[in-house]
Amino acid sequence: GTLGGRFEAVGIINSEENRIAYRTMLLDTDGIEEYLCGAILDVETLLQKSKASNKLFPQALQDRGIVPGVKPHLKVYTLPGTGGDTVMQGLDSLAVRARQYYAAGARFAKWRSPIEIDTAKGRPTELAIGVNMSDLARYALICQSEGLMPIVEPDVVLAGTHSLAVAVEVNVRVQAELFHAMRKHGVYMAGTTLKPNMVLPGLECPVSYSVEEIARANTFV
């Protein structure tokens, strides 16, 4: 996972003991509540205890007035026949797991659906956008039914050579499909939070854009 990569980069063994020590440093620091109102936790973290307070991390956060959340999605799966488009796994067991997460102290969740742009391969495909946004809507509905506030994150990633205009076009398609799917699924819209990405050209785009152009693109979307 993300933490494993950080440990590897600095030569730290990715053991549970080291993960607990790292999380204790982050989540049980004096005065942290002055800067945080919520914290998104890995599922493992929900069931671990702080080495400082000997409290489960969700309880340690709640005692400081910080709301614990959780990342409920599982692994990325490549959709066959799309040239590389992906979808997140984890919906089939989500209702049961969301109930467990709530019992463990989580009060919100965040599901990220990455979308890559590859104009040469015609990606993202309509299939990929439709499936990912439908999954985000189902996730949101399931979370709400189990007492968790869902954060929905359709994430159009920066990899690629695409222009700012292409980024705008794809982001409009993605967000339009997302809100259509959530309305169709009966998601309580006022009880969700949208976590959008910045609308930006690909990292390898040969064209440079001004701050004003980037700002206009984001406010337009």
Side-chain angles (χ1 to χ4, degrees):
T2 304
L3 184 52
R6 291 173 179 163
F7 279 1
E8 183 180 356
V10 293
I12 296 176
I13 297 172
N14 186 18
S15 65
E16 183 176 11
E17 182 179 359
N18 284 339
R19 292 195 297 272
I20 291 173
Y22 181 75
R23 289 160 178 160
T24 298
M25 177 186 69
L26 291 177
L27 303 177
D28 217 349
T29 298
D30 288 341
I32 192 175
E33 65 275 9
E34 297 179 22
Y35 308 98
L36 291 181
C37 61
I40 304 169
L41 308 178
D42 186 83
V43 172
E44 177 186 67
T45 315
L46 289 177
L47 305 176
Q48 291 176 335
K49 287 186 176 181
S50 166
K51 294 174 74 70
S53 64
N54 201 37
K55 297 176 182 178
L56 289 167
F57 281 118
Q59 187 61 55
L61 289 170
Q62 288 174 339
D63 288 350
R64 296 174 181 274
I66 301 170
V67 183
V70 66
K71 295 185 297 183
H73 54 71
L74 301 179
K75 299 294 185 181
V76 174
Y77 171 73
T78 301
L79 286 169
T82 62
D85 282 332
T86 61
V87 67
M88 278 290 185
Q89 296 177 308
L91 279 177
D92 289 346
S93 59
L94 181 57
V96 173
R97 291 186 292 113
R99 202 169 304 134
Q100 295 169 343
Y101 300 154
Y102 187 91
R107 291 298 178 263
F108 69 94
K110 182 181 79 74
W111 185 292
R112 174 180 175 265
S113 290
I115 301 288
E116 291 188 0
I117 299 175
D118 187 335
T119 52
K121 293 183 178 180
R123 296 175 45 219
T125 59
E126 290 298 326
L127 173 64
I129 293 176
V131 169
N132 276 283
M133 298 311 106
S134 179
D135 284 358
L136 277 173
R138 285 178 59 200
Y139 141 80
L141 187 64
I142 292 169
C143 281
Q144 289 181 341
S145 72
E146 300 301 332
L148 299 175
M149 191 284 293
I151 297 175
V152 291
E153 183 183 6
D155 186 16
V156 180
V157 301
L158 292 177
T161 60
H162 55 276
S163 67
L164 182 60
V166 170
V168 168
E169 184 263 332
V170 170
N171 275 275
V172 168
R173 286 165 56 201
V174 165
Q175 292 199 28
E177 183 65 27
L178 171 62
F179 280 89
H180 174 70
M182 288 200 295
R183 291 289 297 272
K184 187 166 62 175
H185 279 74
V187 174
Y188 176 55
M189 303 296 282
T192 65
T193 297
L194 172 67
K195 184 180 183 294
N197 55 268
M198 285 283 291
V199 180
L200 295 167
L203 288 175
E204 298 179 28
C205 176
V207 180
S208 295
Y209 296 91
S210 68
V211 172
E212 290 75 17
E213 288 172 313
I214 297 292
R216 282 196 296 269
N218 278 270
T219 54
F220 174 80
V221 172

